[in-house]
Amino acid sequence: MKTKQILCTLTLIAGIAGLMTSCASKKVQQSSGAAGAVNPFGAMFTPPGFEPDTDEYFTALGTSYGSRNTIDVLQEAALTNAQNIVRQKMQHAYKGLIADYSKYIANENGSNTNSKMERAGDQIIDVIVNDTKAQNIQFSPVDEKGNMDCFVNIRVNKKQLAEKISKAVSEDEELKIRFEEKQFREYMENKFKEYKEEQKQ
């Protein structure tokens, strides 16, 4: 009799434990963003990797996060994020090459000339960056909150950037007599080519 009671008790405990395990498993699956998520753009998703700067391009990966019902807003926010990143890279590279170029041509006027060159370059950089278009737009699966991540890549051609900046700077009456546009453009192209994002790290 006692043996039968013990077996019944053990069976009851095993059943309760199994029920608890099942409920816990379902709860984990429901709260898991990726595992329990629904991707309206396909079942499989691989986030885009970071694309490093190359000899030809300044690059940036922009991201944003928000409701699946505002996909257009997410894309715009991700693009703005990428534009801000690539702008900072370009300004950093350009500011460095101005200092180097001043030494290269033995500029005696120093900071005033450098400031004018920097302002002229920044204006062109802003125009070019604002014209960049998103590439390789991807979305993550929708999470339990109904939100998703958006990823976009952008590129800026280094040679075209150098050409536009050198042309703008050379049109300044004070600056154009201090250097030849061709010389400055070639110097800038070489410096931009040498610049890689990992050099800042």
Side-chain angles (χ1 to χ4, degrees):
M1 186 67 179
K2 289 183 178 180
T3 302
K4 188 175 181 180
Q5 288 177 343
I6 293 173
L7 288 174
C8 288
T9 303
L10 290 175
T11 302
L12 180 60
I13 293 173
I16 293 173
L19 181 61
M20 292 175 65
T21 302
S22 176
C23 290
S25 176
K26 289 180 180 179
K27 185 175 182 181
V28 170
Q29 290 180 0
Q30 290 172 356
S31 64
S32 171
V38 178
N39 187 354
F41 300 95
M44 301 298 294
F45 171 74
T46 301
F50 170 74
E51 181 183 5
D53 297 325
T54 67
D55 288 350
E56 292 78 26
Y57 295 99
F58 287 105
T59 65
L61 171 66
T63 63
S64 64
Y65 174 77
S67 171
R68 63 177 295 179
N69 298 320
T70 58
I71 290 177
D72 54 339
V73 176
L74 290 178
Q75 291 183 60
E76 184 177 348
L79 175 59
T80 299
N81 178 237
Q83 289 173 332
N84 289 336
I85 292 171
V86 83
R87 179 185 287 107
Q88 291 175 4
K89 288 184 183 184
M90 293 157 63
Q91 289 174 337
H92 183 273
Y94 182 61
K95 188 173 182 179
L97 81 84
I98 289 175
D100 292 342
Y101 187 74
S102 294
K103 296 175 184 176
Y104 175 68
I105 63 173
N107 174 33
E108 297 178 357
N109 289 326
S111 61
N112 184 51
T113 299
N114 288 3
S115 295
K116 293 196 71 171
M117 291 173 66
E118 189 173 334
R119 284 196 300 272
D122 283 345
Q123 291 175 357
I124 299 301
I125 287 173
D126 282 338
V127 170
I128 290 177
V129 168
N130 291 337
D131 285 341
T132 54
K133 307 300 181 190
Q135 301 179 19
N136 189 29
I137 303 172
Q138 295 191 48
F139 295 90
S140 72
V142 179
D143 62 22
E144 69 277 4
K145 297 179 181 179
N147 295 332
M148 63 197 323
D149 291 289
C150 177
F151 304 87
V152 304
N153 294 96
I154 63 172
R155 289 178 171 183
V156 174
N157 186 285
K158 292 181 175 181
K159 185 173 183 178
Q160 292 178 1
L161 175 64
E163 289 174 350
K164 291 182 179 181
I165 291 179
S166 61
K167 184 175 185 299
V169 173
S170 67
E171 290 174 350
D172 184 279
E173 289 297 324
E174 179 183 344
L175 294 176
K176 72 179 182 180
I177 63 174
R178 305 194 184 284
F179 63 88
E180 294 294 330
E181 179 184 347
K182 181 174 182 294
Q183 179 193 49
F184 182 58
R185 184 181 69 250
E186 291 176 350
Y187 188 87
M188 194 175 349
E189 288 176 5
N190 290 331
K191 285 296 182 180
F192 282 166
K193 186 179 293 187
E194 292 172 4
Y195 179 90
K196 301 291 190 300
E197 174 65 10
E198 57 265 26
Q199 292 176 350
K200 294 169 58 180
Q201 298 175 351

